[in-house]
């Protein structure tokens, strides 16, 4: 991997991803749903460039106890739960340990829903093309949970769009969605942050600012987040 393979930040990654989705530009039946927190920065740029409405889909990774960066599954809005049974079995994760992780992440998911969405209802995506955006995909567990959550709402089609993804995750997702769109794919993707020069944590306040109507509809007044 060279410096030329690195995105400056999430905003630049979204700007580079958007042209690969040009076919959906101004499509009245398309919507961008971004995965907080980092995916919202990428999705903001995609939605702005394509002139599409945007919103969020809250998803939480279920980290292996003691190895939280290793995903054993994910949960998403709407009660969706995805588990990688092979990891659960191989590591001997007990039902009690799994329940503790799910409970903790469910509480954080609900908190984020309240903080980011407030009184706004989730958008109706029935018969729409949903473009699911994140800042990258490593194992794919989080995005698979997102796909399941959207599928339950009867969309016309689902497109997964990320700046960078592992080849393994892309292969797992392709049978589940209409298409998977990336800028880069890698056989050796261990952490999404390795493909960004600036991969600082995005705050709740920054997510709220990007979701504000003024930010979504006025490209000259966008919040400065990376």
């Amino acid at each position: 991997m060279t410096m030329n393979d690195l995105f400056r930040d999430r905003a630049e990654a979204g700007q580079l991803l958007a042209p690969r989705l040009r076919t959906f530009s101004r499509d009245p039946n398309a919507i961008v749903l971004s995965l907080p927190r980092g995916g919202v920065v990428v999705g903001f740029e995609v939605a702005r460039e394509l002139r599409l409405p945007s919103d969020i889909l809250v998803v939480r990774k279920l980290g292996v106890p003691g190895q939280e960066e290793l995903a054993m599954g994910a949960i998403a809005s709407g009660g969706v739960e995805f588990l990688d049974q092979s990891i659960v079995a191989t590591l001997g994760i007990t039902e009690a340990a799994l329940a503790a992780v799910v409970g903790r992440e469910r509480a954080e998911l609900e908190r984020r829903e309240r903080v980011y969405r407030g009184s706004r209802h989730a958008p109706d995506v029935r018969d729409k093309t949903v473009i699911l955006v994140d800042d990258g995909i490593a194992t794919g567990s989080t995005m698979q949970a997102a796909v399941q959550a959207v599928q339950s709402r009867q969309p016309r089609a689902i497109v997964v769009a990320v700046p960078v993804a592992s080849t393994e995750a892309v292969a797992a997702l392709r049978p589940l969605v209409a298409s998977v769109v990336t800028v880069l794919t890698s056989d050796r993707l261990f952490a999404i942050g390795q493909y960004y020069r600036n991969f600082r944590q995005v705050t709740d306040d920054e997510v709220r600012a990007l979701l504000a109507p003024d930010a979504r509809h006025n490209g000259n007044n966008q919040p400065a987040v990376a």
Side-chain angles (χ1 to χ4, degrees), residues 13-14 17 44-45 55 70 148 153-154 184-185 190 220-221 223:
L17 179 61
F44 175 85
E45 298 294 341
D55 209 296
L70 176 60
Q148 289 184 15
R153 302 176 189 177
Q154 300 180 309
L184 299 172
T185 56
F190 304 110
N220 296 321
N221 190 32

Side-chain angles (χ1 to χ4, degrees), residues 2-153:
T2 69
M3 289 297 287
N4 290 333
D5 295 322
L6 300 179
F7 302 108
R8 182 178 66 245
D9 52 30
R10 293 181 179 89
E12 180 187 65
Q15 292 159 10
L16 293 172
L17 179 61
R20 297 168 185 260
L21 297 160
R22 189 75 66 189
T23 185
F24 301 108
S25 180
R26 301 178 185 272
D27 185 339
N29 293 309
I31 185 172
V32 173
L33 294 186
S34 304
L35 278 56
R37 294 185 182 106
V40 176
V41 183
V42 180
F44 175 85
E45 298 294 341
V46 170
R48 184 176 65 156
E49 176 66 25
L50 301 181
R51 300 293 190 269
L52 293 178
S54 64
D55 209 296
I56 56 169
L57 178 68
V58 182
V59 184
R60 293 294 295 169
K61 178 177 72 175
L62 301 176
V64 172
Q67 305 177 60
E68 280 70 20
E69 288 303 310
L70 176 60
M72 60 179 175
I75 58 174
S77 302
V80 171
E81 182 176 310
F82 170 81
L83 289 178
D84 188 326
Q85 297 292 353
S86 63
I87 290 180
V88 172
T90 299
L91 297 181
I93 298 167
T94 66
E95 288 188 13
L98 178 60
V101 174
V102 170
R104 182 176 66 248
E105 296 301 336
R106 180 72 63 190
E108 175 62 12
L109 184 150
E110 292 171 355
R111 184 196 73 82
R112 292 191 179 197
E113 284 276 10
R114 291 192 303 271
V115 169
Y116 302 156
R117 193 181 299 286
S119 60
R120 290 187 300 110
H121 294 294
D124 183 5
V125 300
R126 185 188 297 268
D127 296 326
K128 292 185 180 294
T129 295
V130 176
I131 304 173
L132 286 173
V133 176
D134 203 356
D135 52 16
I137 302 174
T139 65
S141 295
T142 302
M143 188 57 78
Q144 287 192 49
V147 169
Q148 289 184 15
V150 173
Q151 284 175 335
S152 68
R153 302 176 189 177

